[in-house]
Amino acid sequence: MERLQTTYIDSVILHNPPREILEGKTKHEEEFQRIKRMGKIRGYGVSIDTLEELELVLNNWDVDVIEILFNIIHQSPKHLFDKVKERGILLAVKVPLDSGWLTGKYNSNSKFEGIRARWSQDVILKRAMIVDKVKAIVKDEDLVKYAIGFILSFDAVTTVITGVKNIQQLDTNIKASEFKLSNELKRELERLYEEEIKPLNLPW
């Protein structure tokens, strides 16, 4: 903490911990509570990906913050958002643009390197199809403000973690955070997920 020039850390988050930790079978939370009482941290929580993991956390932990994978293409965690809000847990959303797909810039011909090379050609084709349908719903080629607006339309969401590579992207994301998605568009995007995206069971 000396290097951070502080006497405490606002929040410590375990990133994608194994199931046994989420089930409360280890002493991780006990240790977090101890250092919280010492004033070394203000809060603690976990970074997770799925509805199942969210349920495990809510049933077994007394966290202050949860970081969750949630976006137009991965909507399942929303079914427990009311419980998150009732518990007073801060909710941070990660991967809001689905690793770039929900910017609208990728299509079926896009080539990927690095971590994005994890997608098979089948997954690329299915994601491209979804993006086209989202564009048809919002009637726009640039999807950033709709993707972020969709997430922020849920009261339980505290903040959205958007990666940026330059000032232009930062400005775009800030402006998108001020966009209010209409209830009609929200319902259409939720319908698209339930009827067409969910059955595909796409990996992140």
Side-chain angles (χ1 to χ4, degrees), residues 89-100:
I89 299 170
L90 302 179
L91 188 64
V93 170
K94 62 180 178 179
V95 201
L97 302 178
D98 196 55
S99 299

Side-chain angles (χ1 to χ4, degrees), residues 72-126:
I72 291 172
I73 296 175
H74 296 280
Q75 295 185 31
S76 62
K78 70 184 180 185
H79 298 296
L80 288 176
F81 279 6
D82 286 344
K83 289 187 178 180
V84 171
K85 186 178 179 181
E86 289 170 7
R87 292 264 297 270
I89 299 170
L90 302 179
L91 188 64
V93 170
K94 62 180 178 179
V95 201
L97 302 178
D98 196 55
S99 299
W101 280 99
L102 291 172
T103 63
K105 66 182 180 181
Y106 298 152
N107 57 48
S108 59
N109 297 315
S110 296
K111 303 298 180 183
F112 301 97
E113 298 178 350
I115 192 171
R116 287 176 172 80
R118 67 185 182 273
W119 298 313
S120 67
Q121 187 59 35
D122 179 61
V123 169
I124 290 173
L125 291 174
K126 288 177 178 176

Side-chain angles (χ1 to χ4, degrees), residues 144-145 148 152 162 164 166-179:
V144 175
K145 69 178 182 180
I148 295 178
L152 291 175
T162 56
V164 295
N166 51 54
I167 294 297
Q168 182 179 359
Q169 287 185 1
L170 177 62
D171 288 340
T172 297
N173 291 340
I174 291 173
K175 290 178 182 177
S177 70
E178 300 168 352
F179 173 72

Side-chain angles (χ1 to χ4, degrees), residues 72-73 98 100-110 123-143 146 188-189 191-192 196-197 200 202:
I72 291 172
I73 296 175
D98 196 55
W101 280 99
L102 291 172
T103 63
K105 66 182 180 181
Y106 298 152
N107 57 48
S108 59
N109 297 315
S110 296
V123 169
I124 290 173
L125 291 174
K126 288 177 178 176
R127 269 187 161 81
M129 175 268 293
I130 291 168
V131 167
D132 286 342
K133 292 193 174 187
V134 173
K135 288 179 178 179
I137 288 172
V138 301
K139 297 179 174 57
D140 199 339
E141 290 292 311
D142 186 351
L143 302 182
Y146 303 99
E188 281 297 300
L189 292 171
R191 181 203 58 76
L192 176 66
E196 301 186 52
I197 300 175
L200 296 176
L202 288 172

